[in-house]
Amino acid sequence: MNFLGSNLANVAWVALGGAAGSALRFIVSGWVAHELGDPLSRLSGKWLSVAFPWGTLTVNIIGSLLIGMVAALVSSDGRWLVSPGLRQFLMLGVLGGFTTFSSFSLQTLELLRDGEWFMASANILISVAVCLIAVWAGFTLASLLNR
């Protein structure tokens, strides 16, 4: 608890950013699913159907693009000199709330840039496989509770 006590203001800023990012995710993914998903399904049939998570894919791509830009701009050799608190608000809060995929993407890119090809590959494979298994397990457990 000592860690949280000394960083309570940072926790509050990250939480506020997370709320903003989550609200943006809701708005953007909903708009994309409604405006883009339906016309694509009519044009292409089942291959680009509304069932495909166009909104989620869009926020994941946008979030990855933005976290890469922010990371580069606020790095030690970047153009923006910002406080650690503002960096946490933007990257962990807003973009983390917008999509956690952006954090995963940035961490994998950092491994690749450091020449850690094996670790980057392991991060990709383990993250995708374990997260899919976890989603399946959570869904299965909740389905059993719903009976």
Side-chain angles (χ1 to χ4, degrees), residues 78-139:
R79 293 181 167 263
W80 295 348
L81 180 61
V82 299
S83 70
L86 180 56
R87 179 182 165 100
Q88 291 169 347
F89 170 78
L90 292 172
M91 294 179 72
L92 298 177
V94 176
L95 295 173
F98 189 64
T99 172
T100 58
F101 195 79
S102 59
S103 297
F104 161 78
S105 299
L106 177 62
Q107 292 162 348
T108 304
L109 175 65
E110 288 172 348
L111 288 169
L112 290 169
R113 290 182 72 206
D114 291 342
E116 298 288 344
W117 294 94
F118 176 78
M119 294 303 290
S121 299
N123 188 39
I124 292 166
L125 292 173
I126 292 168
S127 293
V128 171
V130 172
C131 288
L132 282 173
I133 291 167
V135 167
W136 170 81
F139 190 89

Side-chain angles (χ1 to χ4, degrees), residues 64-75 80 82 86-87 90-91 95 106:
S64 295
L65 174 72
L66 291 176
I67 202 168
M69 291 174 67
V70 171
L73 289 169
V74 302
S75 69
W80 295 348
V82 299
L86 180 56
R87 179 182 165 100
L90 292 172
M91 294 179 72
L95 295 173
L106 177 62

Side-chain angles (χ1 to χ4, degrees), residues 14-44:
V14 169
L16 184 63
S22 295
L24 285 170
R25 176 179 14 144
F26 178 79
I27 292 166
V28 172
S29 65
W31 181 84
V32 168
H34 181 265
E35 297 297 322
L36 181 64
D38 190 42
L40 282 175
S41 69
R42 279 188 262 133
L43 288 174
S44 65

Side-chain angles (χ1 to χ4, degrees), residues 42-63:
R42 279 188 262 133
L43 288 174
S44 65
K46 85 179 208 183
W47 295 111
L48 294 174
S49 72
V50 176
F52 187 83
W54 292 110
T56 300
L57 178 63
T58 300
V59 296
N60 284 341
I61 293 169
I62 291 170

